[in-house]
Amino acid sequence: MSQHSSQTIQSLSRLMKRLVLVLAAGIAFAVIYVLWLLAFDQPAFADLVKANLFEEIPMTVSRTAMTALVLLGSVNLWIAFSGLSAVWHLFDGFERGDVFSARSGGLLRKAGFAALIGAASTVMSRTLAVLIVTLGNPPGQKVLLVVFGTSEAFLLLVSVLLLVMGHVFRLAADIDAENRSFV
């Protein structure tokens, strides 16, 4: 690899690591804001839930529902931070010159699995969240709503791309190791 290519990879990797940090900080800020609402302004939390689900559905945001929504959100946060961690370590390796390796392939696959699980979790979480906030409604007003949109489809596409590229990286690393053993 030429010196220019190596420098370009290093500079792009540093940029991507900063982007991952900005995303993680944004998520952390949102979590702190939601926790603040839960602690000090529960009606605003209920309004936030209604605004992010479907406003036209009658909802009962009880303490039990709030607790269940926090647990559901925690699972999604773990998935998101797992994927961001894999991407961070991937670009950290790129910055150090570890580009086409089995480790890079494994990290790409880990990010792909996180994206795949995230896509499925998005659909299931929204469905469960609507069910949770309508369980306290009177009979006949409970809602089970499954939503699958373009954002979930795009996330599935990206996850498959990451999984395939991770597999290709691992195969390339194996081929490279085999070729080096002949020389």
Side-chain angles (χ1 to χ4, degrees), residues 93-117:
F94 285 0
E95 186 178 9
R96 289 183 280 115
D98 183 24
V99 180
F100 295 108
S101 68
R103 180 181 180 274
S104 295
L107 288 168
L108 266 173
R109 290 177 66 188
K110 183 177 178 185
F113 279 123
L116 182 64
I117 293 167

Side-chain angles (χ1 to χ4, degrees), residues 9-149:
I9 289 171
Q10 286 177 340
S11 113
L12 286 172
S13 295
R14 280 190 294 273
L15 178 67
M16 291 305 294
K17 283 171 54 178
R18 287 184 194 120
L19 178 62
V20 168
L21 280 178
V22 168
L23 288 172
I27 292 170
F29 178 76
V31 168
I32 290 168
Y33 175 68
V34 168
L35 291 175
W36 184 84
L37 286 178
L38 271 169
F40 300 109
D41 194 357
Q42 291 180 357
F45 176 79
D47 291 341
L48 182 67
V49 168
K50 290 175 183 177
N52 282 295
L53 292 176
F54 293 96
E55 290 182 344
E56 57 274 356
I57 296 174
M59 297 181 196
T60 306
V61 186
S62 64
R63 285 193 186 277
T64 305
M66 286 184 202
T67 303
L69 291 173
V70 167
L71 291 174
L72 193 59
S74 298
V75 170
N76 287 318
L77 281 173
W78 178 79
I79 294 167
F81 279 114
S82 174
L84 285 175
S85 172
V87 172
W88 167 271
H89 289 293
L90 175 72
F91 285 111
D92 189 52
F94 285 0
E95 186 178 9
R96 289 183 280 115
D98 183 24
V99 180
F100 295 108
S101 68
R103 180 181 180 274
S104 295
L107 288 168
L108 266 173
R109 290 177 66 188
K110 183 177 178 185
F113 279 123
L116 182 64
I117 293 167
S121 178
T122 301
V123 173
M124 291 187 308
S125 293
R126 181 162 290 217
T127 301
L128 285 173
V130 169
L131 184 60
I132 287 167
V133 297
T134 60
L135 278 176
N137 290 353
Q141 290 187 2
K142 293 169 180 56
V143 178
L144 179 63
L145 180 67
V146 180
V147 176
F148 185 86

Side-chain angles (χ1 to χ4, degrees), residues 161-177:
L161 175 69
L162 289 172
L163 288 168
V164 169
M165 290 305 299
H167 190 66
V168 167
F169 269 44
R170 285 192 127 163
L171 290 175
D174 290 345
I175 290 170
D176 185 50

